[in-house]
Amino acid sequence: MSPTMVEHSGLDIMCLNKYCHSSSSSSSSEHDKKVFSKLKQSLSGDYPRKNAEILSGQYGTNVLLIGASLMLAIAHHGPAVKEEHLLSFVTCLMILQLIWMMWYILVRDRQKNSRTEKDVHATTCWIRGGLTLLALLSLIMDAFRIGYYVGYQSCVSAVLGVYPVIHATHTIAQVHFLWFHIKDVIKSFETFERFGVIHAVFTNLLLWCNGVMSEAEHFLNNHKRRLSALGYGNLTIVHSEPHCNCTTSTCSMFSSSLYYLYPFNIEYHIFVSAMLFVMWKNIGRTIDLSSNQKRMATKTQGLTLGPILGLLALASTIGILVVYITHVEESLRMRQSAISMFYIYGMVMLVFMCSASASGLLIYRADHMPLDTSKNPSRQLDTELLFGSSIGSWLMSWCSIVAVLGTNSSPPYRWTNLIYSLLIVLEKYIQNLFIIESLYRQQEDTESEDPELPAAPEIFSVTSSLAPPYNGIINRAYETPDRTCVTMENEQEESGEVYRCPRKPSEVPLPVGNKVVDPPNIKRQILKNIAVFLLMCNISLWILPAFGCRPQYDNGLEQETFGFSIWTTVLNFAIPLNLFYRMHSVASLFEVFRRV
Amino acid sequence: MSPTMVEHSGLDIMCLNKYCHSSSSSSSSEHDKKVFSKLKQSLSGDYPRKNAEILSGQYGTNVLLIGASLMLAIAHHGPAVKEEHLLSFVTCLMILQLIWMMWYILVRDRQKNSRTEKDVHATTCWIRGGLTLLALLSLIMDAFRIGYYVGYQSCVSAVLGVYPVIHATHTIAQVHFLWFHIKDVIKSFETFERFGVIHAVFTNLLLWCNGVMSEAEHFLNNHKRRLSALGYGNLTIVHSEPHCNCTTSTCSMFSSSLYYLYPFNIEYHIFVSAMLFVMWKNIGRTIDLSSNQKRMATKTQGLTLGPILGLLALASTIGILVVYITHVEESLRMRQSAISMFYIYGMVMLVFMCSASASGLLIYRADHMPLDTSKNPSRQLDTELLFGSSIGSWLMSWCSIVAVLGTNSSPPYRWTNLIYSLLIVLEKYIQNLFIIESLYRQQEDTESEDPELPAAPEIFSVTSSLAPPYNGIINRAYETPDRTCVTMENEQEESGEVYRCPRKPSEVPLPVGNKVVDPPNIKRQILKNIAVFLLMCNISLWILPAFGCRPQYDNGLEQETFGFSIWTTVLNFAIPLNLFYRMHSVASLFEVFRRV
């Protein structure tokens, strides 16, 4: 419940009071005037929160949909809509966002004396650091784009030159915003700021879509080229090369390097938009201070098996990537053996990942602890994104399974593909459970001196905003402390809440020694190892499709069952989601690693 | 916070206590045994709520995705996957759901002595009545399907006969379930029931997808037939007619009537799945009893303009539908005039709808009232569905706008198409705001005798689940009632909550007369008229595409810009969503009509 709401209801009652008196005593013209002034006042007043959310959310969605419809028109390669149109639209959006960010920063700077509330859960240093790295790679990409434009200057639209300049400015400004303002809880000009933030969210989402589209087209052209080379022929490859010669010697280098930088640019935009979305969710929120505490520092003792296995996975992944990319371009037999190799490697990885996640879940089952249900938009979004982005990969896997079961041809990798796809479904299923449970479990406070009551502060925190703190004190004046405790516990249980009485020191058995703290620590060390291992495995599984290892294009089984156009549509939808899933689970697993 | 959680934390502390003692006194083998039995016990115990949600949600999503991949394979018309495969899969799912529903009903019947909690917000008589009607039409459809199967018995798969029989049984059982159990708040076997309910949700969603696919294919074939007739030629129409002659004389009648019943069947399944989803959300929830009250009866006085205008819209719609369908099959000129007529009619409708929604919003702005923020999964879902299903239609409109602006050809309906599309975007934007604000506004209690305290029960309801009810009683034993009130208010205000003390009758000023209730009644009457008008307009806009008036297929503008395959993909995604949007807003507007 926000303070605004309370104010509104107060206002409402006042108005009604006035109204009662006036209607019984005054004339109707005066009454009309009053109604009019009331109307005017209400229209200029703050909009209720739910409506402001819908209002701005709908605006953002429509901005994205305009971009999406332009992209669909471009995908047709018709004469009407060209890439320039989309780029100018995106450039306008970025300029708008720049203006808003400038305005926001200026306003904040002038209000410096009044402290802004911060939501510490909104992001971590690690994520911001990672994003800064991704932003740097994006800047390099912009530099390449500018270079490319300079080379072809005479025959390409000026938009192709303006776009990278604005994009670079946008990237720098946005990184500054991320470092200094992303945690802000906005409480002034709420409705206007909502529009600003959601505009930023959807501008980044559109930039993501744009990157995904460019990348998908690149892969599709590669795929068509391979099919033509294998004699399937008859597929038109659309080249978007300009119609003049490059004036510098580096144009082809620029355009081919771009595709190695795309994956980073894509991840950058989707992550920023997720973080801005959390900021949007936080607008006008009343932060519960008790749960808004800094986390403890990360401890790295006992980390051996996880990192070693993870590095092993990472190294073998890079090997597989190189072998796959070189082999898949060659003869049919080499191609088939490369695909088989990929599936076998994938199966080994996934079996390990499944068992790691499953043992993590088993540890949690053996160690009951209530979940932390306090409000936390960032965590909520993490959960939904994990779940939502799994859908792409699940759809792809089920399609593969249907294709394997339905096909008549029998390449050597038919059954390994089936098992691999089943494992992909299972692995995401278990990993999601593990990550979400880890994020929702209450953090144990290792600094606690009292091993008897490790759960007490957490139980309290769940309900601390609900439990009237004066209660005990008032009662205690009339009853003995012990009796109070009993009554309170009974009361709270009936109303569905529990909190513990502070025990008297004499009742608490003294800690027997350091030994008793060990076992949870062993559990925690295992969990930390699992998290690190899963993190590195997810990086591996991100690297493979991001840099061109996509057997779903190459194995031909699914294409036979679903046809070229349906299957490429599925892949164009599923692969970007899958890439995002892997990156997002890396970030979540890092969070898990720091929490356990 | 669920009671389960409380139990867990209790258990946890117990375990820890035991553990402390044992580790200091007993041998390590005994300790191992204990750990093992603890593990076993914990594994068999109840799963935390959040995880159970994710666990079952992921299961349901995967069931849907298996179905989706089968459908994609069928859409390719390849040799591997046939419609029989999908139908047998869906039949299995329905049988599973039947078994679960039977089990559920049996268990409830045996527990009859212990009252089950109900969530009165979950659904209304009106919606259930409407669904029963839709279910009856679905049953007729099943009868037609059985008749069709009997005719072609000799050459079609037996699955085509089994499917309608199971579907009919499923429909009857499900309607029974809707009437007697949909409001239940499940508190026993939570994890298992979660799987049952989510299975039902996704089975219905899959049946919806299946219906949508059949309908889309029907329209696509119609469209291709028309294009061929106009000389565009070269499009293969896939006929799924069986390879033998019908033994009865009614086969063609059955198969052509099916397409008029599809829209109802489709709406039935999506609505049922939304209601079951609310039931799933309610599992294990603690219902706030104070906000769980029956609504007042609907009053219909002062309803004139809205219904009259609405009926006018409905009548003209049916006229337009008939003219459109007959004209669009004829010469190019007739076709173009039919399309122009549709757009002009649509513009008039949408302008009226926009102004109605906008005036509704203005009335709300003039009449401040805090929004009701109490937890209500049903309303939450309504909001999200309205918002989500608008996306389809918005995408379609923006694509039209891009096509109109980008095209070189200039048919007579070019600019009317542009304005129509812009109005569609605007209308959904404003209508969503109006409906959502109406649903979230607190209901004024007209039966209240006390005009001074209109907001009091609402303020109470926001926090009533948080305020410990025993408090006052205990305190009152020691203090005078008046002093208790003061302390309580202070306490609650400091902990961020507010609730009011029951005033003594002597303190409450007497109502001044009936006159004071009049003005809000005028507002309310206007709102009621708006709601009825919008409701009928939405029915009109549902009827048109549902029964074949789809100018997006016929006008050719978008197809030119986006190409045949991209544009039909967009339509296949957007039109079903749009149909659902219209039906869903009808249901929501009815709810609005009853609330204001």
Side-chain angles (χ1 to χ4, degrees):
Chain A
M1 235 186 66
S2 72
T4 342
M5 220 169 279
V6 176
E7 213 179 276
H8 280 181
S9 71
L11 196 124
D12 198 58
I13 293 163
M14 255 175 55
C15 292
L16 250 144
N17 275 347
K18 264 194 218 161
Y19 193 61
C20 292
H21 294 297
S22 70
S23 69
S24 58
S25 63
S26 66
S27 73
S28 82
S29 76
E30 222 182 309
H31 164 220
D32 276 2
K33 249 187 212 161
K34 260 185 192 160
V35 167
F36 183 72
S37 71
K38 217 173 74 184
L39 186 75
K40 204 174 141 194
Q41 176 210 347
S42 329
L43 284 175
S44 59
D46 237 358
Y47 217 59
R49 177 173 172 173
K50 187 79 203 170
N51 303 22
E53 272 184 15
I54 298 286
L55 201 68
S56 55
Q58 293 197 134
Y59 159 74
T61 312
N62 276 297
V63 166
L64 182 68
L65 289 174
I66 296 174
S69 58
L70 284 172
M71 274 182 225
L72 287 174
I74 291 169
H76 176 52
H77 297 289
V81 183
K82 293 245 170 303
E83 215 194 335
E84 286 94 87
H85 296 116
L86 177 64
L87 288 186
S88 11
F89 178 66
V90 174
T91 308
C92 290
L93 292 183
M94 285 193 294
I95 292 173
L96 261 179
Q97 191 191 333
L98 278 172
I99 294 170
W100 170 73
M101 285 195 297
M102 245 154 60
W103 183 85
Y104 180 85
I105 290 170
L106 283 178
V107 167
R108 278 305 111 133
D109 277 355
R110 286 182 57 190
Q111 293 176 342
K112 212 155 210 171
N113 41 347
S114 65
R115 257 179 67 80
T116 7
E117 266 183 76
K118 302 258 179 188
D119 175 17
V120 297
H121 295 299
T123 179
T124 56
C125 269
W126 310 93
I127 289 180
R128 283 186 287 190
L131 278 178
T132 311
L133 211 70
L134 291 176
L136 279 177
L137 291 167
S138 287
L139 286 177
I140 296 174
M141 200 169 151
D142 286 325
F144 283 7
R145 278 219 185 97
I146 295 172
Y148 181 84
Y149 169 73
V150 169
Y152 285 114
Q153 204 171 359
S154 58
C155 61
V156 295
S157 162
V159 179
L160 289 180
V162 175
Y163 172 77
V165 174
I166 298 289
H167 189 262
T169 323
H170 178 260
T171 304
I172 293 168
Q174 196 162 257
V175 168
H176 173 263
F177 191 85
L178 286 182
W179 276 100
F180 300 106
H181 296 285
I182 197 77
K183 290 183 175 188
D184 289 4
V185 176
I186 298 171
K187 300 253 182 182
S188 53
F189 307 104
E190 283 187 22
T191 306
F192 175 76
E193 299 287 16
R194 241 176 238 288
F195 271 92
V197 180
I198 208 79
H199 178 88
V201 170
F202 280 94
T203 303
N204 278 288
L205 258 188
L206 194 56
L207 286 165
W208 176 72
C209 288
N210 191 18
V212 163
M213 196 187 68
S214 306
E215 220 202 3
E217 206 175 338
H218 174 68
F219 274 102
L220 207 61
N221 278 340
N222 260 358
H223 177 49
K224 282 178 180 169
R225 203 166 36 71
R226 275 179 212 166
L227 282 182
S228 306
L230 284 171
Y232 288 94
N234 209 11
L235 293 161
T236 51
I237 300 170
V238 184
H239 282 290
S240 49
E241 290 288 300
H243 300 293
C244 58
N245 287 327
C246 185
T247 54
T248 61
S249 57
T250 43
C251 282
S252 64
M253 192 271 276
F254 283 150
S255 68
S256 60
S257 320
L258 271 184
Y259 291 104
Y260 294 98
L261 292 172
Y262 259 122
F264 303 110
N265 181 39
I266 290 173
E267 297 307 327
Y268 164 70
H269 284 300
I270 188 101
F271 266 82
V272 172
S273 93
M275 283 162 70
L276 285 164
F277 184 77
V278 171
M279 189 183 182
W280 180 74
K281 274 292 201 191
N282 273 338
I283 293 174
R285 202 180 134 208
T286 313
I287 296 286
D288 177 7
L289 285 172
S290 69
S291 71
N292 207 16
Q293 298 153 335
K294 277 277 173 203
R295 297 206 191 80
M296 56 200 167
T298 312
K299 279 181 190 163
T300 49
Q301 52 172 336
L303 266 181
T304 47
L305 200 63
I308 290 172
L309 283 178
L311 282 175
L312 207 68
L314 210 60
S316 60
T317 299
I318 291 167
I320 293 280
L321 179 70
V322 172
V323 174
Y324 184 89
I325 287 180
T326 50
H327 277 48
V328 84
E329 301 269 5
E330 296 179 25
S331 70
L332 187 69
R333 212 181 50 80
M334 289 293 259
R335 188 187 167 91
Q336 285 192 342
S337 70
I339 296 173
S340 291
M341 176 197 69
F342 174 87
Y343 283 129
I344 290 167
Y345 151 81
M347 276 157 58
V348 174
M349 285 280 282
L350 292 170
V351 165
F352 272 100
M353 288 169 78
C354 283
S355 20
S357 310
S359 31
L361 281 174
L362 278 180
I363 291 175
Y364 284 144
R365 287 288 76 66
D367 181 24
H368 266 302
M369 192 179 277
L371 295 186
D372 173 10
T373 52
S374 62
K375 204 182 168 187
N376 185 340
S378 171
R379 184 173 56 191
Q380 177 72 20
L381 182 69
D382 278 350
T383 311
E384 283 164 10
L385 285 180
L386 269 183
F387 187 83
S389 56
S390 307
I391 289 173
S393 157
W394 279 333
L395 178 66
M396 205 158 64
S397 298
W398 287 116
C399 283
S400 294
I401 292 167
V402 166
V404 167
L405 294 178
T407 191
N408 295 316
S409 69
S410 193
Y413 45 76
R414 182 174 174 185
W415 301 108
T416 42
N417 186 359
L418 179 77
I419 298 171
Y420 172 80
S421 303
L422 284 173
L423 280 173
I424 282 276
V425 174
L426 189 69
E427 188 265 326
K428 289 227 165 85
Y429 203 115
I430 305 181
Q431 183 173 292
N432 284 351
L433 281 174
F434 173 69
I435 295 177
I436 293 170
E437 174 141 17
S438 306
L439 293 179
Y440 272 86
R441 280 173 85 87
Q442 290 163 8
Q443 273 181 274
E444 289 175 83
D445 195 357
T446 32
E447 272 69 50
S448 163
E449 288 289 281
D450 188 352
E452 258 275 274
L453 295 167
E458 277 80 30
I459 296 185
F460 205 94
S461 88
V462 173
T463 51
S464 55
S465 60
L466 320 179
Y470 280 75
N471 240 354
I473 296 169
I474 292 171
N475 284 326
R476 212 163 280 168
Y478 296 92
E479 304 189 35
T480 65
D482 279 352
R483 256 186 76 199
T484 322
C485 277
V486 176
T487 12
M488 271 169 68
E489 269 182 0
N490 287 345
E491 272 171 35
Q492 297 302 328
E493 258 159 33
E494 289 201 43
S495 62
E497 296 159 23
V498 172
Y499 57 100
R500 294 178 58 105
C501 309
R503 297 196 184 194
K504 274 185 284 181
S506 63
E507 284 176 5
V508 181
L510 287 167
V512 196
N514 266 338
K515 264 180 103 180
V516 296
V517 197
D518 270 342
N521 262 356
I522 285 174
K523 272 184 200 161
R524 192 178 295 161
Q525 277 180 15
I526 296 174
L527 287 172
K528 264 193 194 301
N529 276 300
I530 289 175
V532 169
F533 173 68
L534 284 177
L535 188 151
M536 289 187 164
C537 286
N538 276 288
I539 292 179
S540 306
L541 294 183
W542 178 78
I543 287 175
L544 286 172
F547 293 99
C549 183
R550 301 183 174 183
Q552 296 88 357
Y553 276 110
D554 301 314
N555 72 30
L557 271 175
E558 292 93 351
Q559 197 167 310
E560 192 186 302
T561 309
F562 294 95
F564 182 78
S565 66
I566 293 182
W567 183 236
T568 48
T569 309
V570 169
L571 289 184
N572 284 340
F573 160 77
I575 289 181
L577 271 188
N578 186 35
L579 284 174
F580 173 62
Y581 174 83
R582 290 296 170 196
M583 241 340 173
H584 186 66
S585 54
V586 167
S588 305
L589 281 165
F590 194 77
E591 189 65 26
V592 170
F593 168 70
R594 294 182 56 236
R595 284 174 71 101
V596 292
Chain B
M1 238 190 66
S2 70
T4 340
M5 219 169 278
V6 177
E7 215 178 271
H8 283 181
S9 70
L11 195 121
D12 198 55
I13 294 159
M14 255 175 53
C15 292
L16 251 143
N17 275 347
K18 262 194 219 162
Y19 192 59
C20 292
H21 294 296
S22 70
S23 68
S24 58
S25 64
S26 66
S27 72
S28 83
S29 76
E30 221 181 310
H31 163 223
D32 276 2
K33 248 187 211 164
K34 261 184 190 161
V35 168
F36 184 72
S37 71
K38 217 172 75 182
L39 186 75
K40 203 175 142 194
Q41 177 207 351
S42 327
L43 285 175
S44 60
D46 240 357
Y47 219 58
R49 180 174 170 168
K50 188 79 201 168
N51 303 21
E53 272 185 17
I54 299 286
L55 201 68
S56 55
Q58 293 198 134
Y59 159 75
T61 313
N62 276 299
V63 166
L64 182 68
L65 289 174
I66 296 174
S69 56
L70 285 173
M71 275 182 225
L72 287 174
I74 292 169
H76 176 53
H77 298 289
V81 183
K82 295 245 170 301
E83 214 194 337
E84 286 94 84
H85 296 118
L86 177 64
L87 289 185
S88 9
F89 178 63
V90 174
T91 308
C92 290
L93 291 183
M94 287 195 291
I95 292 173
L96 260 179
Q97 190 191 334
L98 278 172
I99 293 171
W100 171 73
M101 286 197 293
M102 244 156 57
W103 183 84
Y104 180 84
I105 291 169
L106 283 179
V107 167
R108 279 304 113 133
D109 278 354
R110 284 182 60 188
Q111 293 176 340
K112 211 154 210 170
N113 40 347
S114 65
R115 258 180 67 81
T116 6
E117 264 185 80
K118 303 260 178 187
D119 175 17
V120 298
H121 296 300
T123 179
T124 57
C125 269
W126 311 91
I127 289 181
R128 283 185 289 190
L131 277 180
T132 312
L133 211 70
L134 290 176
L136 278 177
L137 290 167
S138 288
L139 285 178
I140 296 174
M141 201 170 151
D142 285 326
F144 282 8
R145 278 220 183 96
I146 294 172
Y148 181 85
Y149 170 71
V150 169
Y152 284 113
Q153 202 172 359
S154 58
C155 61
V156 295
S157 160
V159 179
L160 289 179
V162 175
Y163 172 76
V165 174
I166 298 289
H167 188 262
T169 323
H170 177 259
T171 306
I172 295 168
Q174 197 163 257
V175 168
H176 174 264
F177 190 84
L178 285 182
W179 276 99
F180 300 105
H181 297 286
I182 197 78
K183 292 183 174 188
D184 290 4
V185 176
I186 298 171
K187 300 253 182 180
S188 52
F189 306 105
E190 283 186 23
T191 306
F192 176 75
E193 300 286 17
R194 240 176 238 287
F195 272 91
V197 180
I198 208 77
H199 178 88
V201 170
F202 279 93
T203 303
N204 277 288
L205 259 188
L206 195 55
L207 286 165
W208 175 73
C209 288
N210 190 19
V212 162
M213 195 188 68
S214 306
E215 220 201 3
E217 205 174 341
H218 174 68
F219 274 101
L220 207 63
N221 278 340
N222 260 358
H223 177 49
K224 283 178 180 170
R225 202 166 37 70
R226 276 179 211 166
L227 283 182
S228 306
L230 284 171
Y232 289 92
N234 209 11
L235 294 160
T236 50
I237 301 170
V238 183
H239 282 290
S240 48
E241 290 288 300
H243 299 294
C244 59
N245 286 325
C246 183
T247 53
T248 62
S249 57
T250 44
C251 283
S252 64
M253 192 273 275
F254 283 149
S255 69
S256 60
S257 320
L258 271 184
Y259 291 104
Y260 295 97
L261 293 172
Y262 260 122
F264 304 109
N265 180 40
I266 289 173
E267 298 306 327
Y268 164 72
H269 284 299
I270 189 101
F271 266 82
V272 171
S273 91
M275 285 163 67
L276 285 165
F277 183 76
V278 171
M279 188 182 182
W280 180 74
K281 273 291 201 191
N282 273 337
I283 292 174
R285 201 180 136 209
T286 312
I287 295 288
D288 175 7
L289 284 170
S290 69
S291 72
N292 207 13
Q293 298 153 336
K294 276 277 171 202
R295 297 206 191 80
M296 57 201 165
T298 312
K299 278 182 189 165
T300 50
Q301 52 172 331
L303 264 182
T304 47
L305 199 65
I308 289 172
L309 283 177
L311 282 174
L312 206 69
L314 209 60
S316 61
T317 299
I318 291 167
I320 293 280
L321 178 71
V322 172
V323 173
Y324 185 89
I325 287 180
T326 52
H327 277 46
V328 85
E329 299 272 5
E330 295 178 26
S331 70
L332 188 68
R333 212 181 50 78
M334 289 293 259
R335 188 188 165 90
Q336 286 193 340
S337 70
I339 296 173
S340 291
M341 179 196 69
F342 174 86
Y343 283 129
I344 291 167
Y345 151 83
M347 276 157 59
V348 174
M349 285 280 282
L350 292 171
V351 165
F352 272 101
M353 287 169 80
C354 283
S355 21
S357 311
S359 31
L361 280 175
L362 278 180
I363 292 176
Y364 284 144
R365 288 288 73 68
D367 182 24
H368 264 304
M369 191 177 279
L371 295 186
D372 174 11
T373 51
S374 61
K375 204 182 169 189
N376 185 340
S378 169
R379 184 174 56 190
Q380 177 72 20
L381 182 69
D382 278 349
T383 311
E384 282 164 9
L385 285 180
L386 268 183
F387 187 83
S389 57
S390 308
I391 289 172
S393 158
W394 279 332
L395 178 66
M396 205 158 64
S397 298
W398 287 116
C399 282
S400 294
I401 292 166
V402 166
V404 167
L405 294 178
T407 190
N408 296 316
S409 68
S410 190
Y413 45 76
R414 182 174 172 185
W415 301 108
T416 43
N417 186 359
L418 178 76
I419 299 171
Y420 172 80
S421 302
L422 283 173
L423 280 172
I424 281 276
V425 173
L426 189 70
E427 188 266 326
K428 290 228 164 85
Y429 204 114
I430 306 182
Q431 183 172 291
N432 284 351
L433 280 175
F434 174 68
I435 295 177
I436 292 169
E437 173 141 19
S438 306
L439 293 180
Y440 272 86
R441 279 174 86 85
Q442 289 164 9
Q443 271 180 279
E444 287 175 85
D445 195 358
T446 32
E447 273 68 50
S448 163
E449 289 289 280
D450 188 354
E452 262 273 273
L453 295 167
E458 277 79 31
I459 296 185
F460 203 94
S461 86
V462 173
T463 51
S464 53
S465 62
L466 318 180
Y470 280 72
N471 241 353
I473 298 169
I474 291 170
N475 283 327
R476 210 163 282 166
Y478 297 91
E479 303 187 36
T480 65
D482 279 353
R483 255 186 77 199
T484 322
C485 277
V486 176
T487 12
M488 272 169 65
E489 268 180 1
N490 287 346
E491 274 173 40
Q492 297 303 327
E493 260 157 34
E494 290 201 42
S495 61
E497 297 160 22
V498 172
Y499 58 101
R500 298 177 61 104
C501 309
R503 295 196 186 193
K504 273 186 283 178
S506 62
E507 287 176 4
V508 180
L510 288 167
V512 193
N514 265 338
K515 265 178 103 179
V516 295
V517 197
D518 269 343
N521 261 356
I522 284 175
K523 270 184 202 162
R524 192 178 297 163
Q525 276 179 17
I526 297 174
L527 287 173
K528 263 193 192 300
N529 276 300
I530 289 173
V532 169
F533 172 67
L534 284 177
L535 188 150
M536 288 185 167
C537 286
N538 276 289
I539 292 179
S540 306
L541 294 183
W542 178 78
I543 287 175
L544 285 173
F547 292 101
C549 182
R550 301 182 173 185
Q552 296 87 357
Y553 275 111
D554 301 314
N555 72 30
L557 271 175
E558 292 92 352
Q559 197 167 311
E560 193 185 303
T561 310
F562 293 95
F564 182 79
S565 65
I566 292 182
W567 183 237
T568 47
T569 308
V570 169
L571 289 183
N572 285 340
F573 160 76
I575 290 182
L577 271 188
N578 186 35
L579 284 173
F580 173 63
Y581 174 83
R582 290 297 168 197
M583 240 341 171
H584 186 66
S585 55
V586 167
S588 304
L589 282 164
F590 194 78
E591 189 65 27
V592 170
F593 168 71
R594 294 181 57 234
R595 285 174 72 102
V596 292

